[in-house]
Structures are given as structure tokens and as C-alpha cells.
Amino acid sequence: MKLSLRARRRWTIFLLCVLGPIYVVVAVNIVDMFDRPHFLVELIIYATLGIVWILPFRSVFRGVSRNDEDNNPN
């Protein structure tokens, strides 16, 4: 399924503004399950969770930086 540039931008805004904060709350709750681990362990957990959430959506974020092929006259 090919999305227009406008649709990709809307999805990007939705992912960052709606799902991003929800994911932050989930990540904090996951770390709180371990009763405040050591700083380095906590940093590794947050870094891992920060990378994991973006992997399914990387095609959407990559698509925003590209030109819209449908509206390109060349």
C-alpha cells in the first residue's frame, strides 16, 4: 500500500504525539517493575525500549523525508 506524502506526515504526527507518550508511560512502568535498578541497567533498558518502539514504524518515518513521487512532475 502506497501512502501519499500528506498521509505519511499525518501518520508521523500521530505516532509521535499520541503513541510516543503512551509508550513512554509503558516504558516507565516496565522499569518500575524492577524496583529502581542501577543507573546503568536503567539506562540500557530505556535505550533498548526507545529503539524497539520505532522499528515497526521506520518505513513511515523514512517516507516523510522523501519527495512525493505521485506529485513530482519529473
Side-chain angles (χ1 to χ4, degrees):
M1 181 172 71
K2 195 156 181 134
L3 296 174
S4 68
L5 180 61
R6 189 175 196 167
R8 289 182 297 215
R9 286 184 181 166
R10 287 182 180 167
W11 273 111
T12 301
I13 291 170
F14 175 77
L15 290 172
L16 290 175
C17 295
V18 176
L19 292 184
I22 291 171
Y23 193 79
V24 168
V25 170
V26 170
V28 169
N29 286 329
I30 289 173
V31 172
D32 282 344
M33 289 185 334
F34 298 112
D35 295 327
R36 191 70 176 179
H38 187 268
F39 173 74
L40 292 177
V41 174
E42 190 174 355
L43 181 68
I44 291 170
I45 292 170
Y46 282 131
T48 303
L49 290 174
I51 292 170
V52 167
W53 89 272
I54 200 68
L55 290 177
F57 305 117
R58 70 178 177 218
S59 62
V60 174
F61 289 110
R62 280 188 191 162
V64 171
S65 65
R66 295 185 185 154
N67 290 334
D68 195 7
E69 293 86 16
D70 297 335
N71 296 331
N72 193 355
N74 293 333

